[in-house]
Amino acid sequence: MGPHGHAGLTLIIFSFLMIPFGYSFEVIFLIILATALSSIPDIDLIYGWKHRDKTHNIGFALVVGGGMSIILFYAMHDIVIVLTGFIAGFGGVISHLLGDIITYKSFAPLVPFSKRKIALKYCKADDNKVNIGLMIGGALAFTLYMLVVTGNLEVMIQNYF
Ligand SMILES: [Zn+2]
């Protein structure tokens, strides 16, 4: 999966998950931060480490979530923002793992809890249709989130039906 595919998938997941939490600074911050962090496991490609190894598992998700919490704790001293940072870091990486699982190259996403390797082999990681489709899906899902939580979807439905 490419960075745009991961960003799109993360937008889809977090937009839907956050609908029940409504509209607030923290929720918008969470959605944007998780999306921005969703490609962080692929730093292994930049540094020439073994691909889909150390950075592609739950353990790394906890490290990224913890790292975001610490940065935000020192920056803002606000427990809700600290928690938001953890969920964004952890969730952004987990979303990345979900995106990579549907491709061909297997890896062990449950480390350190299990060494089992998984690959659903649904598409190639650089499949343009899937990557661009996820990006567009992310835009639609985020738009839906905004329309629902601001009450505009309700108004639109009342006006047209
Ligand atoms: Zn990856």
Side-chain angles (χ1 to χ4, degrees):
M1 197 99 336
H4 50 324
H6 285 301
L9 179 60
T10 309
L11 262 180
I12 293 170
I13 292 172
F14 276 85
S15 295
F16 279 106
L17 283 180
M18 289 302 122
I19 285 176
F21 294 92
Y23 184 67
S24 72
F25 166 76
E26 286 82 6
V27 173
I28 300 289
F29 182 60
L30 173 61
I31 296 172
I32 293 173
L33 192 58
T35 303
L37 289 169
S38 65
S39 281
I40 212 167
D42 285 344
I43 53 164
D44 57 5
L45 291 170
I46 296 170
Y47 289 104
W49 303 335
K50 193 178 166 207
H51 187 39
R52 294 193 179 176
D53 189 41
K54 302 242 179 309
T55 59
H56 283 66
N57 56 62
I58 289 181
F60 186 72
L62 290 169
V63 169
V64 173
M68 288 314 301
S69 303
I70 293 166
I71 292 167
L72 289 168
F73 175 77
Y74 283 106
M76 295 172 87
H77 301 282
D78 180 320
I79 194 67
V80 179
I81 286 291
V82 168
L83 190 66
T84 304
F86 180 82
I87 297 168
F90 181 76
V93 173
I94 295 296
S95 162
H96 183 103
L97 303 180
L98 292 174
D100 279 353
I101 278 172
I102 66 168
T103 67
Y104 282 91
K105 188 177 162 50
S106 70
F107 63 102
L110 300 176
V111 166
F113 306 106
S114 160
K115 286 185 176 161
R116 211 180 129 211
K117 288 199 164 189
I118 306 174
L120 298 180
K121 303 186 197 304
Y122 165 73
C123 66
K124 283 170 72 177
D126 60 356
D127 187 315
N128 254 332
K129 267 189 204 152
V130 174
N131 278 287
I132 294 171
L134 285 171
M135 193 77 232
I136 295 168
L140 294 174
F142 186 63
T143 303
L144 180 70
Y145 161 81
M146 290 302 282
L147 288 175
V148 172
V149 298
T150 56
N152 281 299
L153 187 67
E154 219 180 319
V155 173
M156 281 164 70
I157 291 169
Q158 281 164 357
N159 286 344
Y160 291 102
F161 295 100

